[in-house]
Amino acid sequence: MAGILRSRGWLGRLGRSEAAPGLVLIACAAAALALANSPLAQAWHDLFHHPLPWTPLPRLDTLHLWINDGLMAVFFFVVGLEIKREIIVGELADPQRRRLPVVAALAGMSVPALVYLAASRGDAALHAGWAIPAATDIAFAMGVLALIGKRVPPSVRLFLLTVAIVDDLGAVAVIAIFYTAGIVWAWLGIAAALFGAMVILNRSGIRASWPYIVLAIALWAAVLHSGVHATVAGVLAALTVPMALDRHGDSPLLRMEHALVAPNGFLIVPLFGLANAGVTLGGGSSLADPLPLAIAAGLFIGKQVGVFSAVVACERLGFAPRPAGTHLSHLWGMALLCGIGFTMSLFIAGLAFPTRPALGEEAKIGILAGSLLSAIAGALVLRFSPKPAD
């Protein structure tokens, strides 16, 4: 009995840990990789890609599409809530404090894209994947950081979180602008009207959650049929949810964020990993091929160079100081962790090569390799960095 109680206590602490969602995601990615290279590979593939016997939306006729276009809209909704909260009351609220993470995030998106284009050897067929290494996986990166513990100054954790949030905002913009197919203007008009209705609700002081939830679902359906990727609706809907606190210190935004953080971290993102991380190894593609190599180089080299050089340049030029109490090795380790692309990179890879599944599989090799290298290197650099003073 004592052993059971100790086990429950350990599981309880893990569930409340920042590392937990990242660990669950890692486990699901490993499971997907193992199943994709096992005798169950075909059954595993069919589970996600075989047409469903019935679906309420003909556009979503497989489990894979429901996860990527449906559940991931909830993921982006949570991202939108986090972005809005940070802009209103967080690190992005102060113009002075947001300078450094915004510059670092922009450099951390542009340099990996340039490295990718350089490493893809001028192959025009691969150019659509330029944004794959530009993303950072918050859960994965924060999970690795949490496992290192007290050897990392709190300011590094906060800075990484802020950079990743700005990075996510940039990724959403990239998806909306560069990975949109043909526009169906009637549906886009309906989506615009629904978004306007949500803004009016906010301006009218409506604080109940259910009207926003109902309209958010309708907005998602309209965007799904408009040609713009449906997950963009998640961020747009989140930006209309009121943040203003009532006399009890509560708000619809905080209520929704609190309610969705656990399902997002322990169900939606792991399911996405299970459905998308599986890649057949030894199937003719290798890390030395142009696409996997370009992605891995973008994540591992481009991210650390972009983020670290931006932080150092901002400090040297007097534009913004580095995070308090940090050594250059802390900043280097943090920049390496930004190269963990995983969830968002897998998502963008699916958008970049929708009609060429072979390239999608090659992209997964580069994403897994680049993210794993970044995680290991970042953890080692931070582990052996100077310990913060108490």
Side-chain angles (χ1 to χ4, degrees):
M1 177 64 74
I4 293 175
L5 290 175
R6 284 195 295 271
S7 175
R8 285 180 177 176
W10 178 82
L11 287 173
R13 288 193 298 273
L14 179 62
R16 293 187 297 270
S17 167
E18 284 185 344
L23 293 175
V24 172
L25 180 57
I26 292 169
C28 288
L33 194 61
L35 286 164
N37 292 276
S38 75
L40 298 173
Q42 188 59 49
W44 184 249
H45 179 273
D46 290 345
L47 172 65
F48 292 105
H49 296 276
H50 195 274
L52 296 169
W54 178 83
T55 176
L57 294 174
R59 293 179 69 93
L60 305 181
D61 61 352
T62 67
L63 183 59
H64 184 265
L65 287 174
W66 272 105
I67 291 171
N68 284 29
D69 291 3
L71 285 180
M72 286 301 285
V74 180
F75 166 81
F76 279 91
F77 182 75
V78 176
V79 168
L81 294 176
E82 292 174 347
I83 290 170
K84 182 168 183 176
R85 175 173 49 78
E86 286 294 319
I87 290 174
I88 294 176
V89 298
E91 287 298 300
L92 298 177
D94 185 341
Q96 297 297 322
R97 288 191 295 176
R98 68 174 171 239
R99 283 182 176 181
L100 188 61
V102 168
V103 172
L106 292 175
M109 294 186 73
S110 56
V111 176
L114 293 173
V115 170
Y116 171 92
L117 292 172
S120 60
R121 305 173 189 174
D123 188 341
L126 305 183
H127 287 177
W130 65 270
I132 296 173
T136 296
D137 189 301
I138 294 179
F140 210 142
M142 295 303 291
V144 173
L145 197 61
L147 289 174
I148 300 168
K150 296 182 179 180
R151 297 199 67 86
V152 180
S155 58
V156 170
R157 174 199 167 279
L158 184 60
F159 185 68
L160 174 60
L161 179 62
T162 310
V163 169
I165 288 173
V166 177
D167 193 293
D168 276 348
L169 182 59
V172 171
V174 166
I175 291 169
I177 297 170
F178 297 100
Y179 294 107
T180 292
I183 298 294
V184 181
W185 292 104
W187 279 110
L188 191 62
I190 294 172
L194 290 166
F195 179 70
M198 296 184 75
V199 172
I200 291 171
L201 281 180
N202 183 307
R203 296 294 186 185
S204 301
I206 304 299
R207 296 293 178 261
S209 299
W210 69 264
Y212 296 96
I213 295 172
V214 171
L215 287 175
I217 295 172
L219 176 63
W220 165 77
V223 173
L224 174 69
H225 290 87
S226 73
V228 178
H229 199 272
T231 51
V232 175
V235 176
L236 292 176
L239 296 179
T240 68
V241 177
M243 175 66 195
L245 301 177
D246 60 22
R247 66 173 185 267
H248 302 294
D250 191 18
S251 78
L253 187 148
L254 295 178
R255 284 200 305 272
M256 291 184 188
E257 185 179 7
H258 180 74
L260 291 172
V261 162
N264 191 54
F266 292 102
L267 177 63
I268 294 172
V269 174
L271 270 176
F272 177 83
L274 283 171
N276 292 274
V279 58
T280 303
L281 302 176
S285 299
S286 73
L287 186 59
D289 291 335
L291 179 59
L293 183 62
I295 293 172
L299 287 170
F300 183 64
I301 298 173
K303 272 289 186 181
Q304 63 170 304
V305 170
V307 174
F308 184 71
S309 61
V311 173
V312 172
C314 283
E315 183 181 36
R316 296 278 174 86
L317 296 173
F319 183 72
R322 74 171 73 169
T326 58
H327 188 271
L328 281 178
S329 61
H330 294 134
L331 300 175
W332 181 28
M334 182 273 302
L336 280 162
L337 293 186
C338 287
I340 304 174
F342 202 72
T343 303
M344 196 70 81
S345 292
L346 286 172
F347 190 82
I348 294 175
L351 301 178
F353 308 111
T355 61
R356 304 186 66 180
L359 288 181
E361 293 299 297
E362 287 187 19
K364 292 178 184 179
I365 296 174
I367 293 167
L368 292 173
S371 296
L372 185 61
L373 281 171
S374 297
I376 294 173
L380 287 174
V381 169
L382 290 172
R383 174 64 181 81
F384 293 104
S385 293
K387 190 174 181 180
D390 294 330

